[in-house]
């Protein structure tokens, strides 16, 4: 009599994944597997993950996502001598942009007949990833030449890593600064 024990079939599950941009690749986690024969979870199961650009698991695979965007991923259970390998369905992997607030510079001076501008901006909530730099352009109305106050309004925020534009990895909230020219103090002689 020959007794043959067959490997048990398995089912691998993976839910949609959401992460937030942090400047590094972020591998998927959270896959689980069970034995089809008794629905028991497989403890210590080992998985591999395949990543794809866009909303389907087709085409060429890519590395684990780094940049903000929409990707797809599926998990594969590595089979053993006791159970078969299995593959999850294709699920959505969303890498959300990092939230930051950028505030335009404020400035003031006594009236001297010249325009007052301030092209600076700073991150005032959240933070940039190391090695990222920020620059801003102000609207054409962000200048004042007479006594009074005007908003210093950001028209464009650019975030770079070296020469590469990484602005799309951030969800930027822009806050205006204030430009003020005060009345000139008379000189009495």
């Amino acid at each position: 009599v020959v007794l043959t024990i067959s490997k048990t079939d398995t089912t691998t599950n993976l839910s949609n994944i959401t992460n937030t941009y942090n400047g590094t690749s972020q591998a998927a986690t959270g896959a689980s597997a069970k034995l089809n024969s008794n629905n028991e979870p497989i403890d210590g199961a080992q998985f591999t993950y395949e990543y794809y650009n866009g909303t389907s698991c087709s085409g060429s695979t890519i590395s684990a996502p780094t940049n903000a965007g929409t990707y797809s991923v599926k998990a594969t259970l590595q089979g053993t001598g006791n159970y078969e390998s299995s593959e999850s369905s294709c699920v959505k992997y969303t890498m959300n942009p990092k939230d930051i607030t950028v505030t335009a510079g404020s400035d003031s001076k006594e009236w001297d007949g010249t325009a007052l501008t301030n092209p600076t901006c700073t991150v005032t909530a959240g933070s940039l990833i190391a090695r990222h730099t920020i620059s801003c352009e102000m609207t054409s109305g962000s200048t004042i030449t007479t006594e009074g106050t005007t908003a210093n309004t950001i028209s464009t925020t650019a975030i770079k890593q070296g020469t590469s534009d990484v602005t799309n990895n951030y969800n930027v909230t822009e806050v205006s600064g204030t430009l003020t020219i005060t009345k000139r103090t008379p000189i009495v002689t």
Side-chain angles (χ1 to χ4, degrees), residues 109-133:
K109 71 174 186 174
E110 187 177 271
W111 179 86
D112 64 3
T114 63
L116 175 63
T117 61
N118 187 337
T120 65
C121 61
T122 56
V123 176
T124 53
S127 62
L128 294 178
I129 301 299
R131 301 178 321 280
H132 290 185
T133 58

Side-chain angles (χ1 to χ4, degrees), residues 42 61 89 101 112 118 163 165:
I42 301 172
T61 59
S89 60
T101 299
D112 64 3
N118 187 337
T163 57
D165 189 332

Side-chain angles (χ1 to χ4, degrees), residues 153-188:
T153 305
I154 299 170
S155 66
T156 306
T157 299
I159 303 169
K160 294 196 173 190
Q161 180 175 332
T163 57
S164 298
D165 189 332
V166 294
T167 308
N168 288 339
N169 289 314
Y170 292 88
N171 179 33
V172 180
T173 300
E174 297 169 339
V175 177
S176 294
T178 303
L179 301 174
T180 303
I181 293 183
T182 59
K183 186 180 286 190
R184 185 174 190 175
T185 305
I187 299 172
V188 178

Side-chain angles (χ1 to χ4, degrees), residues 90-149:
C90 183
V91 299
K92 184 177 180 181
Y93 183 122
T94 303
M95 183 73 76
N96 288 322
K98 180 177 173 63
D99 291 335
I100 61 169
T101 299
V102 177
T103 302
S106 293
D107 209 348
S108 65
K109 71 174 186 174
E110 187 177 271
W111 179 86
D112 64 3
T114 63
L116 175 63
T117 61
N118 187 337
T120 65
C121 61
T122 56
V123 176
T124 53
S127 62
L128 294 178
I129 301 299
R131 301 178 321 280
H132 290 185
T133 58
I134 191 167
S135 63
C136 297
E137 290 185 21
M138 305 303 159
T139 63
S140 60
S142 294
T143 184
I144 187 169
T145 55
T146 60
E147 182 184 333
T149 299

